[in-house]
Amino acid sequence: MTDLLALVAVARERSFTRAAAQMGVSQSALSQTIRGLEDRLGIRLLTRTTRSVSTTEAGERLIRAAAPRLEEIESELAALSDLRDKPAGTVRITCSENAADTVVWPKLAAGLAGFPDIKVELYIDHGFTDIAAERFDAGVRLGESLEKDMIAVRIGPDVRLVTVGSAGYFSRTPRPETPQDLIRHNCINLRLATLGGLYAWEFEKDSRAQRVRVDGQLTFNTIRSLVTAAVAGYGIAFVPEDSVSEHLAHGTLIEVLSEWCPPTSGFHLYYPSRRQNSPAFQTVVELLRHRK
């Protein structure tokens, strides 16, 4: 491409001296570039005299074909420079439904209108997506499940997963007193699509952790569906506290095993590298960043 640009510059200026100055190179370097192009093609492209430079028929034909394409390329390169200097372009983020509803979308809704040239694509996924392989700019996970080689930016407060069931359900079945008691209950499961398995419920008390694989009549792949089924009395669900706060306040759901459900590190935006992130991406990161 450089040699074609050199040819077009010389042809337009009809002078190696002026073309070299325009391109910021020496006259001898420019002359060598043109000569190398002619040698590679096996045909003379310019006629040189002591007073002027003009194109041969072959040179004119090549310039007519190449110049418009070179202008398109230069235009695109200029557009890319604009993207580097101002917040514009598309940012793709993968996150869970709960993260989108409680953190990501509320923050974007509050600030994104001020950046009309930024487009954001949110992809809802409850598994652990490989953001590099799937060509996402970033993903959202709870802090405790972040990979160590990722850059992480906290975007939300600490969260609690709570164990809940309806008053109607507990009127038929004794409330569990320990996580192991859940094995005897009808529990509503969450299936993680990426991992393919059922989520094992994780509890902790006095620095002692327990993982319980529960069973029940219903399995869903969204938190919203788990909550709906729990409210309907179909069993016990293990869900983020903010997804059931209104139900807990109104008594349509009752929390159990609260002492086994301490807060955990909240949602973080994660991405592979700090290098050469676009202004659009950097703007989205700042819109999402958690501020106490």
Side-chain angles (χ1 to χ4, degrees), residues 28 81 86 91 117 141 151-152 156 159 193 273 277:
S28 61
S81 295
K86 70 177 183 179
V91 178
D117 294 324
R141 290 186 193 173
I151 308 301
V159 300
S273 174
N277 289 318

Side-chain angles (χ1 to χ4, degrees), residues 112-142:
L112 196 59
F115 302 93
D117 294 324
I118 296 178
K119 298 179 181 179
V120 177
E121 179 181 337
L122 291 183
Y123 181 82
I124 304 302
D125 185 359
H126 295 279
F128 289 164
T129 302
D130 184 339
I131 59 174
E134 299 298 325
R135 301 186 66 184
F136 286 101
D137 296 293
V140 176
R141 290 186 193 173
L142 293 174

Side-chain angles (χ1 to χ4, degrees), residues 37-196:
L37 177 60
E38 290 176 326
D39 290 345
R40 192 161 65 253
L41 295 176
I43 192 169
R44 190 157 51 88
L45 301 173
L46 296 174
T47 299
R48 305 165 177 84
T49 70
T50 56
R51 293 186 176 182
S52 66
V53 178
S54 60
T55 54
T56 64
E57 181 181 356
E60 188 66 30
R61 180 175 176 178
L62 179 58
I63 289 171
R64 281 199 306 268
R69 294 179 175 85
L70 291 174
E71 288 174 359
E72 289 178 10
I73 293 171
E74 287 181 317
S75 177
E76 283 300 316
L77 291 175
L80 289 176
S81 295
D82 288 342
L83 285 180
R84 183 191 63 208
D85 298 331
K86 70 177 183 179
T90 300
V91 178
R92 301 182 71 234
I93 300 173
T94 176
C95 61
S96 68
E97 180 183 42
N98 181 247
D101 288 347
T102 61
V103 177
V104 179
W105 171 239
K107 290 194 171 189
L108 290 179
L112 196 59
F115 302 93
D117 294 324
I118 296 178
K119 298 179 181 179
V120 177
E121 179 181 337
L122 291 183
Y123 181 82
I124 304 302
D125 185 359
H126 295 279
F128 289 164
T129 302
D130 184 339
I131 59 174
E134 299 298 325
R135 301 186 66 184
F136 286 101
D137 296 293
V140 176
R141 290 186 193 173
L142 293 174
E144 62 186 21
S145 56
L146 291 169
E147 296 175 5
K148 298 192 186 315
D149 60 345
M150 290 287 173
I151 308 301
V153 176
R154 190 182 182 99
I155 63 173
D158 286 350
V159 300
R160 283 181 73 229
L161 291 174
V162 295
T163 320
V164 296
S166 70
Y169 176 79
F170 288 128
S171 69
R172 304 187 301 270
T173 310
R175 300 185 188 187
E177 296 183 1
T178 70
Q180 289 302 318
D181 292 341
L182 292 169
I183 296 172
R184 297 188 293 273
H185 279 266
N186 194 16
C187 295
I188 306 166
N189 261 308
L190 174 68
R191 185 177 296 279
L192 300 176
T194 303
L195 300 180

